[in-house]
């Protein structure tokens, strides 16, 4: 049996609407939203009495997906500092290819994005930057040159 694809990445959030709006502004498309609860959810995630809301977003090409999850019960817990640095162990950032890094950065700043370092050019290939969005979510933007 072979791996077919990576289906999605889960991000647990406190403010589902703010995080959803941030990723929609980035250019992702809302695929669906729904509440989840019940014994099968409890068994799947290994928690009791789960009640949550999820929103699924996809990239315009249809290949990449994010699942945003707001837990009502049991309450979400923070396992690390909110604004952990890029060299902290674990999954640290999501990277998205964009057409115009400055234009996307300006739009995302209206949703609370903060530039972490600087917009830099890597050789003659890319312009890159790291930003923090709502809830400290780190996102990298990559604009291919030429």
């Amino acid at each position: 049996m072979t791996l077919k694809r990576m289906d999605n990445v889960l991000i647990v959030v406190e403010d589902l609407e703010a995080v959803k709006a941030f990723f929609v502004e980035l250019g992702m498309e809302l695929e669906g939203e729904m509440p989840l609860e019940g014994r099968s959810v409890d068994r799947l995630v290994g928690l009791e009495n789960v009640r949550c809301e999820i929103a699924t977003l996809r990239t315009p090409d249809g290949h990449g997906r994010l699942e945003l999850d707001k837990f009502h019960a049991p309450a979400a817990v923070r396992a690390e500092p909110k604004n952990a640095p890029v060299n902290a162990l674990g999954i640290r950032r999501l990277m998205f290819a964009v057409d115009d890094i400055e234009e996307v950065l300006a739009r995302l700043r209206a949703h609370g994005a903060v530039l972490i370092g600087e917009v830099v050019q890597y050789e003659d290939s890319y312009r890159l930057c790291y930003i923090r969005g709502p809830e400290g979510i780190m996102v990298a933007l990559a604009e291919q040159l030429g």
Side-chain angles (χ1 to χ4, degrees):
M1 180 164 224
T2 60
L3 179 70
K4 291 183 178 183
R5 68 180 177 274
M6 185 181 80
D7 195 55
N8 69 56
V9 173
L10 169 67
I11 302 175
V12 176
V13 301
E14 291 176 326
D15 188 340
L16 183 60
E17 292 305 313
V19 177
K20 185 173 58 174
F22 175 83
F23 283 109
V24 167
E25 187 65 44
L26 176 60
M28 296 193 79
E29 300 166 3
L30 182 63
E31 195 170 63
E33 298 178 80
M34 64 184 196
L36 287 177
E37 62 183 287
R39 186 69 187 133
S40 61
V41 175
D42 294 354
R43 289 178 36 229
L44 174 66
V45 301
L47 297 171
E48 293 295 322
N49 303 312
V50 172
R51 280 187 316 99
C52 61
E53 297 173 59
I54 65 166
T56 304
L57 300 112
R58 71 174 173 273
T59 55
D61 66 3
H63 295 294
R65 285 183 173 74
L66 288 180
E67 182 180 303
L68 305 177
D69 198 336
K70 161 73 175 160
F71 277 84
H72 297 289
V77 296
R78 187 167 305 280
E80 58 188 38
K82 184 174 183 177
N83 292 321
V86 72
N87 65 338
L89 296 173
I91 296 174
R92 208 41 51 215
R93 59 111 176 111
L94 304 168
M95 181 177 274
F96 295 92
V98 299
D99 290 328
D100 181 341
I101 203 167
E102 297 296 340
E103 186 267 336
V104 172
L105 187 54
R107 288 191 352 254
L108 293 178
R109 281 184 166 141
H111 288 267
V114 176
L115 191 61
I116 292 174
E118 301 174 26
V119 176
V120 298
Q121 184 165 324
Y122 177 74
E123 298 178 350
D124 293 329
S125 303
Y126 287 94
R127 293 186 71 224
L128 305 157
C129 72
Y130 278 26
I131 59 175
R132 277 202 200 278
E135 302 193 23
I137 297 168
M138 192 180 305
V139 171
L141 303 175
E143 175 186 345
Q144 190 168 6
L145 301 174

